[in-house]
Every structure is written in C-alpha cells, then in structure tokens.
Amino acid sequence: MNDLFGKREPRAPLAEQLRPKTLDDVAGQTHLVGPGKPLRLAFESKKPHSMILWGPPGVGKTTLARLMADAFDAEFIAISAVFSGVKEIREAVTRAELTLQQSGRHTLLFVDEVHRFNKSQQDAFLPYVERGLVTFIGATTENPSFELNNALLSRAAVYVLQPLGEADLAALSQRAFGKYLFLNSISDEARERIVGYADGDARRLLNLIEQLADAAEETNRSEIDAAFVKQTLTQSLRRFDKGGDQFYDQISALHKSVRGSSPDAALYWMVRMLDGGADPLYLGRRIVRMASEDIGLADPRALRMALDACETYERLGSPEGELALAEVVIYLAVAPKSNAAYTAYNAARALLREDKSRPVPEHLRNAPTKLMKELGYGANYRYAHDEAGAYAAGENYFPDGMAPPRFYEPTEFGLESKIREKLEYLRSLDRKAGNVAKAGKDRKNSQ
C-alpha cells in the first residue's frame, strides 16, 4: 500500500504472512494439537494454564502462544530472555495489572528463550503466576529439566514440540510458493532440496523460499529447478544437504575416519558437517553408534565418553558443547578397535531368525512356588559363586539339545586381549570338566 507521499510500506516477511490464524493451520505437532490431544483440549476448554513449550527452532512455539492468546481473548505480552531482565518482567506485570483493571482482560505472558534467564529472573515470575495475574508461557530450545527452576517447572505443564516432517514442510512450501504469482513452476527435485535444507524448521523453510523468490524475480525467472536452488543457496547452506547424497557421504566419511584411526580426518569431517548446518545431536547419536560398533569392549570407556559428550552438548548448547563432541571423536579415532561385539550381536540375530523356539532348560528356570519346585524347576542348578573360582565348569546355559554356538570372538586389541585370555581359560576348564564327566560315564557303562 502507498501513503499520501507515494512511499511503499515495507512488505511483511513471508514467515509473518503465513503465520497460522487458527489451530487447524498449524503445520505438524499433531501429537499436541490433533483431535483429543493436550493443547487442542486446552484451547477448547477456554481455561488457560501456564506451560513450557520445548522444541527446536521454527516448529511453532511462538505461533501457538499467539493463537492461545486469541483463543482466550487475552492480552498478549511477549518478551525475549535474550534482551530482557527483571526490569522488563516488572514492566510486563505492571501492564498486565493495568489491563485487568481497565478492561478485565487476562494477560498471557510469553517469554522466548526462557532458559537464558538466571534463577533470580525465573523466580520473579512465580508470585504473579501463583496469583493468577498472568498465564506464563515459556519457549525453550533446551531441556527444561536442566535449564529451568524446579519451582517454575512445578507450576507449568511441559509440552514437547517436534521438528516438522517432510510432508508438513512440503505442504507449507506449496502454500508459500503460491504467494509468488510470477513463478510458473517449481520442480519436484527443487522442492525436495528446499525441504532437506530446512531440516524440520518451518521458519527456515519460508526464509529460504523468500530468498529464492527474490532471486528469481531479480533475474526474471519464472521457473525454479534444483540447479537454481543450489546456486542461490550456496552461500547460506554450503557443502551440506540433509537427506541428500552429500549428507550420507559425509557421515560415511566421518565414520570411516574414526574406524580407520585417523583423528585429523575424523575431526575434519565432523567440523565440516557442523559448519554446513548438521544437527550436533544427530552427530552425537552417530558417534555413540561408532563407540559401540567399532571400539566395543576393546575400550568400554568409549561408549560412556560418547554418551557424556551428548549430555554435555544438551547442557551447554552451541558452540560450547561442540567441543565435547570434538573431544570424543578424537578419542574414538585413537582408541583400540574391535567390532567383535557388533559381529556377535548380528550372528545371534541371524541364528534366531532361522532357529526354532526352544524352551528354557529346567535347571535354569526360577522356582518361586512349591509347585514349580515339584515340577523340577531349578533342580540341579549350580550356583557359580559356590564353585571353585566362582565358575561352574562344564555347565550348560543353552537350551537342551542345542549345539552351543560361538558368537563372541574377542580380538587381541585393548581390553579384549584380557577378555580373550579369560575366555580361553574358562573354556579349558569346561573341556576338563567334560572329560571328567565322560570318563565317569564310561566307567559306569563298563560296570
């Protein structure tokens, strides 16, 4: 629209133009806003309650808070913990009191990035929440268990929002491109690439589409294909394509660098993926897998270190938490390697897929009742702690009639060299016990 002086009002960002007006317009989060689900019921009840909306960026936390204010005909006050402090909290409370006095309307106080408030700032909300002056809604990308006071958590329901799925993002992209009438066509490959770049973030998706549309308009293009998407978004989304070949290639390179004991290469691929926009916790999950699959019992500390690195990142966030991931990647790369546990697990699964369902031998069954004892459950069980060396040599723990398989074969690397020695010794005791039993049986038969 132009004013009297011929000046054009700035166009609202695409994300703002497409902000949902009703709960039915919200993309994703059906586990919360679908029929009969918690937030849907809260809207329908017309009874607001304080809550924490926990989820990654661009999944609708602010949108849900605004829709809630509309549904309850409440005054909406939004503050950001990044730029605010106790002063802003008090100003919001004063405004809420005036609104209540002048119009009788309730106030919904929305605090974005609430985890950035310290303990005293979080405590400042409590009296007004308890009085019912405001309904408190906090939005956070961090685990509330770690970042929010117990007192605040106990007064607010926690709702977990999930990244948007590909179908939700695809539908949203269709609506978004419909805003640009000069675009005649968008190829399926281009849509898929944009959805992959968005990585579950609706706001990011809409910003990317707006960027593409502006670039197309400047170059008089009416069609958008995958090549144009790649060319236009190279600077903002370089070297990383979630869901595409490059994504899986880089994950593969990271995993193989760790397996190949190359700390420098492993660090290179991890940092390259982080630089390109990979989710650090996704990398963390893959690192945990590497610790189980490629290091295993050669160094059991590796798995715990991988889990600790993920927990550290969850607590610190970015960029501080990424150092913990880098540290464990280096450790896994230089650790002794063994896939013996991984191989044993797969061998056991393969056998179970083909083998019949065998009953548990009676001597291995528990016998908590008299009847079960009379049926022979637990009879002749050898309690290992009562045996020499706390080992019941020659005892069988497999189903009767089953040839004992050999799944786990420890390597000679790291701790597994000691495990290998221990198993060889125990198996020698089994062989000796078997020979003694066979000799006794032979003597009995000869008599």
Side-chain angles (χ1 to χ4, degrees):
M1 178 184 295
N2 295 339
D3 63 16
L4 294 176
F5 299 97
K7 294 181 180 179
R8 179 181 298 174
E9 292 183 2
R11 183 183 64 186
L14 182 61
E16 190 61 33
Q17 295 180 48
L18 292 180
R19 187 179 293 279
K21 301 296 190 296
T22 69
L23 205 58
D24 293 329
D25 295 334
V26 174
Q29 314 310 331
T30 54
H31 64 294
L32 295 178
V33 302
K37 298 304 180 180
L39 280 181
R40 171 76 65 171
L41 293 176
F43 273 69
E44 293 173 349
S45 72
K46 303 294 183 181
K47 296 178 181 178
H49 62 273
S50 294
M51 64 185 68
I52 303 294
L53 301 176
W54 172 28
V59 296
K61 297 187 292 293
T62 303
T63 292
L64 285 173
R66 289 182 179 276
L67 288 176
M68 196 166 298
D70 292 340
F72 301 146
D73 190 28
E75 182 75 9
F76 183 78
I77 300 178
I79 62 176
S80 171
V82 178
F83 307 108
S84 305
V86 174
K87 175 177 176 290
E88 285 73 20
I89 296 173
R90 289 173 178 165
E91 290 175 350
V93 168
T94 300
R95 180 176 160 189
E97 290 175 332
L98 287 173
T99 299
L100 186 61
Q101 293 171 4
Q102 295 174 357
S103 65
R105 296 177 70 214
H106 188 67
T107 294
L108 190 152
L109 177 58
F110 176 70
V111 182
D112 197 17
E113 304 287 348
V114 65
H115 60 275
R116 294 181 179 269
F117 274 150
N118 59 34
K119 183 179 184 301
S120 63
Q121 290 170 323
Q122 292 180 28
D123 286 343
F125 293 111
L126 297 179
Y128 310 108
V129 173
E130 291 175 342
R131 281 173 47 196
L133 176 63
V134 298
T135 295
F136 171 80
I137 298 184
T140 179
T141 57
E142 305 295 332
N143 190 328
S145 300
F146 299 141
E147 305 297 338
L148 301 183
N149 295 347
N150 288 334
L152 187 58
L153 278 176
S154 67
R155 292 163 174 80
V158 177
Y159 296 108
V160 182
L161 280 71
Q162 303 294 342
L164 271 64
E166 291 184 1
D168 295 320
L169 290 173
L172 185 57
S173 71
Q174 188 169 358
R175 288 177 54 202
F177 277 119
K179 286 283 187 178
Y180 300 96
L181 300 180
F182 65 88
L183 292 177
N184 294 330
S185 68
I186 298 92
S187 72
D188 291 340
E189 188 178 355
R191 290 183 188 275
E192 290 175 4
R193 188 176 290 271
I194 295 165
V195 167
Y197 282 155
D199 196 20
D201 184 332
R203 186 187 305 111
R204 190 181 195 195
L205 174 83
L206 297 176
N207 289 342
L208 293 175
I209 290 175
E210 189 168 29
Q211 183 180 345
L212 286 167
D214 288 345
E217 187 174 23
E218 290 176 4
T219 55
N220 295 318
R221 291 180 65 99
S222 61
E223 299 178 353
I224 290 181
D225 55 19
F228 182 70
V229 171
K230 183 177 180 180
Q231 171 189 336
T232 305
L233 303 181
T234 295
Q235 295 303 315
S236 58
L237 295 161
R238 59 191 182 281
R239 300 187 302 281
F240 186 75
D241 179 4
K242 184 181 184 299
D245 290 341
Q246 197 171 39
F247 171 76
Y248 293 109
D249 288 346
Q250 291 183 26
I251 279 290
S252 177
L254 171 60
H255 198 150
K256 289 180 172 65
S257 298
V258 168
R259 181 183 297 149
S261 300
S262 176
D264 294 325
L267 193 59
Y268 168 83
W269 289 114
M270 189 199 81
V271 173
R272 179 165 168 178
M273 294 190 75
L274 289 172
D275 181 57
D279 178 5
L281 285 179
Y282 173 82
L283 293 180
R285 291 192 294 272
R286 294 304 296 257
I287 289 167
V288 170
R289 169 72 184 205
M290 296 172 204
S292 299
E293 180 178 338
D294 292 296
I295 287 84
L297 293 177
D299 186 351
R301 295 171 298 182
L303 180 57
R304 183 64 259 174
M305 288 186 66
L307 291 169
D308 285 344
C310 293
E311 293 169 7
T312 299
Y313 181 83
E314 287 180 339
R315 182 174 289 270
L316 297 182
S318 182
E320 293 86 353
E322 293 166 358
L323 179 58
L325 297 176
E327 180 180 329
V328 76
V329 160
I330 293 171
Y331 184 90
L332 297 186
V334 300
K337 303 297 187 298
S338 171
N339 71 340
Y342 176 67
T343 301
Y345 172 70
N346 288 335
R349 290 192 63 185
L351 175 65
L352 266 294
R353 281 195 297 266
E354 300 175 359
D355 195 37
K356 62 184 180 182
S357 180
R358 301 173 185 265
V360 176
E362 289 185 354
H363 72 286
L364 296 181
R365 299 183 189 185
N366 196 21
T369 69
K370 180 180 178 181
L371 174 61
M372 296 169 80
K373 290 178 181 177
E374 291 174 351
L375 291 173
Y377 286 20
N380 301 318
Y381 170 65
R382 297 167 62 189
Y383 188 59
H385 294 289
D386 291 340
E387 303 270 350
Y391 182 68
E395 179 67 292
N396 178 49
Y397 297 98
F398 284 98
D400 294 332
M402 179 179 180
R406 185 75 64 84
F407 298 132
Y408 177 55
E409 291 289 353
T411 68
E412 299 178 354
F413 306 116
L415 180 64
E416 277 198 328
S417 63
K418 299 295 182 182
I419 297 174
R420 187 184 185 93
E421 293 175 6
K422 175 71 177 292
L423 287 179
E424 288 175 352
Y425 170 70
L426 296 179
R427 286 164 182 164
S428 71
L429 295 180
D430 288 339
R431 289 191 295 271
K432 183 177 179 180
N435 291 335
V436 170
K438 183 177 184 299
K441 185 177 181 180
D442 290 343
R443 283 196 300 272
K444 183 176 179 180
N445 291 336
S446 66
Q447 296 173 356

